[in-house]
Amino acid sequence: MDIPVFILAGLLVHCVFLVSIFDIYFSSPLVHGMTPQQTLLPPPAKRLVLFVADGLRADSLYELDGNGAPRAPYLRGILENNGSWGVSHTRVPTESRPGHVALIAGFYEDVSAVAKGWKENPVEFDSVFNESKYTWSWGSPDILPMFAKGATGDHVYTFCYAAESEDFGAEDAAKLDIWVFDHVKSFFNSSRSNQTLFSALNEEKVVLFLHLLGIDTNGHAHRPNSREYQENIKQVDEGVKEIASLIDNFYGNDGKTAFILTSDHGMTDWGSHGAGHPTETLTPLIVWGAGVNYPQKVTSQFFEDNFLKEWKLENLKRLDVNQADIAPLMASLIGVPFPLNSVGTLPLEYLNSSALFKAESMFTNAVQILEQFKVKMSQKKETTLSFLFTPFKPLSASEQINFLKKIRLYIQQQKYDEAVSLCKTLINLALEGLSYYHTYDRLFLGLSIAMGFVGWTTYVILVIIKAHTNLTKTVPTNKKKSTVLFYGFAAAGMIIAFFLLIQACPWTYYVYCLLPVPVWYAVVKEIPVIQDLARNVLSLPIGQSIGFLLVCTLGVEILVFSFFYRSALTVGLLVFAAWPVITQLWIQAKTKAMIWTLLCVLLAIFPLMPVVGREPNIPLVIAAGLLTLLISFFSLASLCKSENKYRDNEDLKVYFYQMLSVALSTYVVSSTHNSLKSKQGLPVMNQIISWMTLVSSPMLLLLSPTFLFERLFSILLSLMSTYLLLSTGYEALFPLALFGLMFMWINMEQEALQHYGLSLKPKLAVFNFTCAMDITQFRQLHLDDVRRSFFFVFFIVTAFFGTGNIASINSFDPASVYCFLTVFSPFMMGGLLLLKVAIPFVLVSCAFEAVQVTTQLSSKSLFLIVLVISDIMALHFFFLVKDYGSWLDIGTSISHYVLVMSLTIFMMVMNGLAQLLTTQRLGLSRRTKHHST
Ligand SMILES: [Zn+2]
Ligand SMILES: [Zn+2]
């Protein structure tokens, strides 16, 4: 295959692999086409008022303050005297949008929202608002419109403050809530002079929704333990009291209004939400008014958390619910159909109504969820060949009828408790079945993609063996045989396509299932190479081949592990430390081997340290600067002593400037952070020096001679002067340790070459990067080159995770750019942080460039090996993609996959940069042509 065709094919295959995860893992679970279900008995309430205090934690509302007084006296009075209360358990991600969807539409928003963005409704859904006669809502423009948009007809009204004018809450976020309360009051006032509105308000099945964003905003700004957050709770409490009495007065105390107060999610002590900590997932729920149970006195009740005692509520029955259960509760209070996609179970204990009403409501609930199951099943059945279809056994058609008949009978016989418990069983089975059919295709699609992955990787391995090794002889291809093969694979492709066609699969399925066909065709076409290879491998001792395979597997597994546990890198580095001993290299180079081992152990410490930025430690940065200076003094001294006739004294000046630059950086870091500590801001002079260092250091580097050691030292000094400015702690020492190891690596690889008798005694000291380019004839690949490439990938991954996790944005600390700017500027900060992350890669890449040219390894064959390693890793991450958990978990699992997939491209770019940095020299006529890649 030609190189451009190969690259194109590779890109295409990887694009398909990448896109496939969104189809396989992140598809919407919602189904459409169910009939609405509703009890025919008269509902207890005519209208419902829903207060959602955004970001309100359960304990913040229920606990008593320092004086033993409740934080929200009115609401406390309600739950003690005339309502029911409990904790509503939210699911992750604990964000506003999924929280509100669970409350109002009754389902936990699917992760396809990740793929489709946050902006609009990714999918259409039904909600209690949509089922109501009229809904009026007040609050944030981020929440309200999504329920108005999904609603059919013109009966959901929203009143939001403009997104831009959210600033009016800047100094006091509670004003956002005051805005809502004020607007509700004036709304009811205006209705007295507006006949249409007045009669609409007096209809049945009316919902009033008050979204109160103040508490969330205050929590983010000041944290939940702040006075601001707690004051805001008090203000909301007063507001709820006023609105409740206003509404009761408006309707002449008809006792037909139900009230619900809850929140969409909680908040951690440090003011964030999104993940699954109990402070985020436990939200309050207080329900009172028409149709709602009064407080139930109990002598003892058991909950795993010890909150009841803390809240002094041991004697009032606590009724916990799942967040989505609130939607059916609201629906049955005002007598509207349950939202079509709701998966909530009606919390019966909140209801104060007849046993018949409860049993009927529960029955409706069960039928409504069963409807979804039926639709989902028939959809799957339609698109699957009947003999391949494996139904969800516990809920076969006859089972369903059995259940429904039995429940009906119990209700007729007035055995309401039995009816209710049977309904609950049916609901659980239906939910189980729903998820069974939702993930029905996952295994089959996953296997297809895995087939493609394995085929592609095998093909790349064959290409490497064929083109870059002398393991196989060129065998003339048998023309007749290959035509037969071609038709065979074409027929297989056709059969697969036909199968997909009769099952009416979406077009993306064709891509996933047909991709393995051409890939495996390409593999099978190379069968002579495989046979040749097999013969070669079989002639080797069996133990050796198995050992090689084991070591390869172990190596890749360690790399995969390091994405989750940075300490896996430590294990890997310790194995590296033992490498000279295992291969007996140490016999021929004792000192070098010892330094290598020492540096490996030293570098192994870094992945064990906490992620950067948590604890600033400027003295360590200064120490790193001084250490760099010390090392450069020694290397300069040894340079002066050595007699290299190609060297001129002009070159030493460049070193001098570079050392000066490192010294300046060290000074700037320490003085900037001192000045910031004493709250004097960033001195202008420091800022100027920082930016000048950033610009001048690459220039200086390009002025230095291109002899191997000189140029590498120059690269270190340049990068260090920038890195120091961007450091706040121990990470400043990381490039130094890494460079030390890289330097020893270059030396050790030379020893390894001699060990295998591949090279004569080299002269690394007089090796010139630009002269190396004249070598056009690269040698064939040796098995040891696989290890070399693995070292490269491993060191790149070490640069990834050595001091933090670059896959997660959480590990970036803005404090590290304070030498450059202190005003918030996301673009600039992002750029500088990216530079900081990139510096260790540049070091590794430059060192590897040196290894490549001194061992005469061609970059092309090398990148093919890297491609194989990264694809094997990618296959792991494909199966590790998560479709549950917090946005952070899901996002990280996707970013791992993308990261590994683009590893090869990333390394190619880095290799280009390394070539530029090692071979180019400014202002001199010694420039020579690039070496071929
Ligand atoms: Zn929220
Ligand atoms: Zn928030």
Side-chain angles (χ1 to χ4, degrees):
M1 208 186 264
D2 307 330
I3 292 171
V5 178
F6 180 81
I7 291 177
L8 258 180
L11 274 178
L12 185 80
V13 167
H14 283 90
C15 280
V16 173
F17 289 161
L18 201 58
V19 173
S20 71
I21 58 167
F22 293 105
D23 250 333
I24 296 174
Y25 290 102
F26 305 119
S27 56
S28 169
L30 298 194
V31 284
H32 300 281
M34 287 82 63
T35 23
Q37 301 295 325
Q38 179 180 10
T39 37
L40 297 169
L41 300 171
K46 278 171 107 176
R47 64 200 79 86
L48 174 93
V49 186
L50 172 66
F51 301 95
V52 175
D54 203 305
L56 175 59
R57 276 160 64 153
D59 55 344
S60 299
L61 180 68
Y62 293 138
E63 76 189 355
L64 304 173
D65 65 12
N67 307 324
R71 296 215 185 275
Y74 174 71
L75 290 167
R76 180 83 177 196
I78 295 273
L79 74 88
E80 280 174 353
N81 305 314
N82 38 14
S84 293
W85 75 285
V87 170
S88 156
H89 298 260
T90 71
R91 274 203 201 168
V92 280
T94 42
E95 298 287 352
S96 292
R97 201 197 130 102
H100 281 93
V101 170
L103 281 172
I104 296 161
F107 67 90
Y108 300 101
E109 193 166 38
D110 61 280
V111 197
S112 64
V114 177
K116 290 173 186 162
W118 281 94
K119 293 275 177 235
E120 293 294 328
N121 274 353
V123 281
E124 290 195 355
F125 56 81
D126 187 25
S127 66
V128 173
F129 294 176
N130 186 36
E131 297 290 352
S132 71
K133 177 90 189 177
Y134 294 108
T135 294
W136 287 274
S137 54
W138 294 264
S140 152
D142 300 330
I143 296 299
L144 305 188
M146 73 175 166
F147 295 103
K149 237 179 111 72
T152 48
D154 188 20
H155 63 288
V156 178
Y157 305 97
T158 59
F159 304 93
C160 322
Y161 28 85
E164 312 84 58
S165 69
E166 249 173 73
D167 280 352
F168 65 76
E171 73 268 24
D172 180 14
K175 283 195 180 143
L176 296 172
D177 302 341
I178 308 286
W179 186 98
V180 170
F181 293 132
D182 286 348
H183 276 72
V184 176
K185 284 178 215 162
S186 61
F187 171 79
F188 274 96
N189 277 335
S190 71
S191 74
R192 293 189 197 275
S193 55
N194 180 341
Q195 195 48 51
T196 8
L197 180 59
F198 188 82
S199 58
L201 272 171
N202 278 292
E203 291 271 0
E204 290 184 356
K205 305 178 190 198
V206 163
V207 179
L208 300 160
F209 170 41
L210 284 75
H211 173 240
L212 308 165
L213 191 61
I215 293 177
D216 182 69
T217 315
N218 264 324
H220 287 306
H222 307 284
R223 304 183 175 189
N225 288 322
S226 64
R227 193 184 49 79
E228 286 85 352
Y229 187 86
Q230 285 159 1
E231 273 303 310
N232 203 159
I233 295 178
K234 216 155 242 151
Q235 269 161 314
V236 165
D237 183 59
E238 276 157 25
V240 170
K241 181 181 175 184
E242 280 179 51
I243 297 298
S245 80
L246 172 99
I247 289 174
D248 282 340
N249 282 335
F250 182 86
Y251 290 106
N253 291 314
D254 65 351
K256 286 287 181 191
T257 315
F259 297 90
I260 294 184
L261 180 129
T262 184
S263 79
D264 53 348
H265 52 77
M267 191 170 276
T268 56
D269 286 339
W270 51 95
S272 74
H273 54 83
H277 193 267
T279 52
E280 295 164 89
T281 59
L282 302 187
T283 61
L285 173 64
I286 302 178
V287 189
W288 70 100
V292 182
N293 243 343
Y294 290 106
Q296 301 166 53
K297 289 265 183 308
V298 286
T299 44
S300 76
Q301 48 182 339
F302 176 75
F303 283 92
E304 268 183 20
D305 49 47
N306 292 318
F307 283 132
L308 284 171
K309 211 165 186 180
E310 233 170 84
W311 300 339
K312 301 236 168 3
L313 287 168
E314 299 110 305
N315 298 325
L316 283 174
K317 191 153 190 197
R318 166 178 158 185
L319 308 166
D320 279 19
V321 300
N322 291 318
Q323 197 171 31
D325 299 345
I326 296 172
L329 176 65
M330 294 195 287
S332 60
L333 279 174
I334 53 169
V336 297
F338 292 143
L340 291 173
N341 292 110
S342 164
V343 292
T345 314
L346 185 61
L348 286 179
E349 285 175 296
Y350 276 88
L351 293 180
N352 175 23
S353 40
S354 66
L356 172 67
F357 181 83
K358 285 181 185 174
E360 280 289 351
S361 300
M362 207 60 197
F363 182 60
T364 317
N365 195 179
V367 173
Q368 170 254 332
I369 292 175
L370 187 65
E371 275 283 307
Q372 292 182 64
F373 168 82
K374 281 192 201 150
V375 171
K376 190 107 195 175
M377 183 182 75
S378 68
Q379 274 179 3
K380 261 291 93 78
K381 209 169 176 177
E382 263 169 40
T383 60
T384 313
L385 288 177
S386 51
F387 67 91
L388 286 175
F389 184 72
T390 6
F392 181 67
K393 297 247 162 51
L395 265 189
S396 60
S398 58
E399 268 310 304
Q400 292 173 29
I401 295 171
N402 258 344
F403 264 109
L404 298 180
K405 263 189 185 160
K406 241 187 192 162
I407 298 169
R408 266 273 151 257
L409 193 70
Y410 279 142
I411 292 178
Q412 272 167 13
Q413 295 169 341
Q414 302 191 345
K415 291 181 180 166
Y416 299 123
D417 290 341
E418 286 89 337
V420 165
S421 85
L422 205 58
C423 283
K424 283 182 179 162
T425 318
L426 181 57
I427 288 176
N428 288 335
L429 280 177
L431 290 176
E432 232 174 81
L434 266 176
S435 99
Y436 169 82
Y437 285 120
H438 181 56
T439 54
Y440 192 80
D441 287 336
R442 198 171 277 185
L443 183 71
F444 148 73
L445 285 180
L447 284 180
S448 273
I449 293 290
M451 283 269 287
F453 251 122
V454 174
W456 167 256
T457 313
T458 317
Y459 177 68
V460 177
I461 293 174
L462 288 178
V463 168
I464 296 172
I465 289 169
K466 212 171 115 183
H468 301 279
T469 66
N470 46 16
L471 278 180
T472 58
K473 306 172 284 292
T474 39
V475 195
T477 42
N478 184 337
K479 197 127 201 206
K480 201 173 157 204
K481 232 181 184 174
S482 64
T483 0
V484 171
L485 260 184
F486 177 78
Y487 285 116
F489 271 90
M494 237 111 96
I495 293 171
I496 294 173
F498 178 69
F499 260 95
L500 295 173
L501 190 73
I502 48 177
Q503 301 197 55
C505 289
W507 68 272
T508 43
Y509 281 35
Y510 289 80
V511 179
Y512 305 143
C513 299
L514 288 175
L515 186 70
V517 178
V519 171
W520 279 100
Y521 171 63
V523 172
V524 176
K525 233 175 69 177
E526 305 293 345
I527 218 133
V529 181
I530 300 173
Q531 283 167 345
D532 231 26
L533 181 71
R535 223 169 293 131
N536 265 314
V537 170
L538 286 179
S539 66
L540 291 172
I542 188 94
Q544 205 174 331
S545 331
I546 291 178
F548 174 73
L549 215 66
L550 265 180
V551 170
C552 284
T553 323
L554 207 71
V556 172
E557 295 310 318
I558 284 187
L559 280 180
V560 170
F561 257 92
S562 66
F563 277 70
F564 301 97
Y565 310 99
R566 286 163 63 220
S567 48
L569 290 174
T570 304
V571 177
L573 282 168
L574 291 180
V575 175
F576 282 10
W579 168 55
V581 182
I582 298 166
T583 55
Q584 313 220 308
L585 266 179
W586 67 281
I587 299 172
Q588 77 189 58
K590 287 205 172 69
T591 343
K592 283 181 186 170
M594 213 149 83
I595 303 176
W596 162 268
T597 306
L598 260 173
L599 283 168
C600 276
V601 174
L602 188 69
L603 196 66
I605 298 170
F606 284 92
L608 297 178
M609 308 278 266
V611 170
V612 288
R614 292 291 145 86
E615 285 160 46
N617 192 340
I618 299 303
L620 271 182
V621 182
I622 297 168
L626 295 180
L627 197 61
T628 316
L629 283 178
L630 197 71
I631 293 170
S632 41
F633 269 124
F634 277 114
S635 64
L636 203 62
S638 73
L639 270 183
C640 290
K641 253 194 262 165
S642 72
E643 294 142 31
N644 189 338
K645 54 189 172 203
Y646 308 107
R647 189 171 286 133
D648 63 63
N649 278 334
E650 279 296 296
D651 297 343
L652 293 180
K653 267 192 197 157
V654 178
Y655 277 115
F656 177 72
Y657 288 129
Q658 287 194 305
M659 285 166 64
L660 197 71
S661 165
V662 171
L664 261 178
S665 296
T666 315
Y667 165 75
V668 166
V669 169
S670 95
S671 95
T672 302
H673 284 270
N674 274 338
S675 147
L676 286 177
K677 217 182 213 167
S678 52
K679 300 237 185 299
Q680 284 168 334
L682 167 63
V684 182
M685 199 55 210
N686 287 7
Q687 196 174 11
I688 295 173
I689 296 176
S690 298
W691 283 104
M692 273 174 55
T693 309
L694 184 71
V695 176
S696 67
S697 59
M699 303 285 171
L700 278 175
L701 146 68
L702 291 178
L703 283 172
S704 70
T706 51
F707 293 105
L708 187 116
F709 290 155
E710 277 95 326
R711 182 44 79 96
L712 284 180
F713 257 116
S714 190
I715 290 173
L716 173 73
L717 291 182
S718 267
L719 294 180
M720 270 312 279
S721 59
T722 313
Y723 199 82
L724 284 173
L725 290 172
L726 291 166
S727 298
T728 56
Y730 76 92
E731 81 267 23
L733 292 163
F734 181 67
L736 271 184
L738 189 65
F739 179 80
L741 188 63
M742 292 300 101
F743 185 75
M744 284 324 292
W745 185 30
I746 299 167
N747 284 292
M748 291 302 286
E749 288 298 355
Q750 278 303 310
E751 299 294 337
L753 270 191
Q754 290 169 52
H755 189 71
Y756 291 105
L758 287 173
S759 164
L760 299 169
K761 182 81 185 165
K763 292 193 184 96
L764 278 184
V766 293
F767 190 90
N768 192 320
F769 274 113
T770 47
C771 298
M773 305 312 112
D774 299 334
I775 307 164
T776 42
Q777 204 60 51
F778 287 102
R779 62 185 174 79
Q780 296 274 286
L781 275 180
H782 185 264
L783 208 53
D784 209 34
D785 292 326
V786 176
R787 180 199 47 77
R788 229 161 250 143
S789 326
F790 178 76
F791 271 32
F792 178 43
V793 178
F794 188 88
F795 288 135
I796 285 281
V797 174
T798 309
F800 266 139
F801 298 115
T803 59
N805 180 0
I806 77 148
S808 149
I809 203 79
N810 270 8
S811 61
F812 292 122
D813 180 18
S816 45
V817 299
Y818 283 168
C819 288
F820 291 90
L821 68 163
T822 44
V823 251
F824 184 73
S825 149
F827 186 70
M828 272 294 194
M829 284 181 163
L832 286 169
L833 287 171
L834 219 60
L835 181 71
K836 183 182 176 186
V837 167
I839 284 175
F841 297 133
V842 178
L843 271 180
V844 175
S845 303
C846 288
F848 191 62
E849 176 71 12
V851 169
Q852 252 184 81
V853 291
T854 54
T855 60
Q856 292 155 27
L857 185 65
S858 87
S859 348
K860 196 177 134 202
S861 50
L862 168 90
F863 280 118
L864 288 177
I865 302 178
V866 171
L867 187 63
V868 171
I869 297 177
S870 64
D871 275 347
I872 297 174
M873 284 166 72
L875 186 59
H876 283 78
F877 288 117
F878 173 77
F879 286 108
L880 290 173
V881 168
K882 274 180 150 182
D883 61 339
Y884 54 89
S886 68
W887 287 145
L888 192 68
D889 291 343
I890 296 165
T892 309
S893 77
I894 298 176
S895 75
H896 281 166
Y897 187 59
V898 176
L899 211 72
V900 176
M901 286 280 241
S902 44
L903 199 62
T904 314
I905 295 173
F906 174 75
M907 285 183 180
M908 280 172 154
V909 172
M910 276 292 159
N911 192 253
L913 182 68
Q915 269 180 31
L916 186 93
L917 289 181
T918 51
T919 57
Q920 297 303 306
R921 192 164 185 197
L922 286 178
L924 292 163
S925 53
R926 276 191 241 161
R927 286 164 66 166
T928 40
K929 62 179 168 32
H930 256 297
H931 76 214
S932 69
T933 46

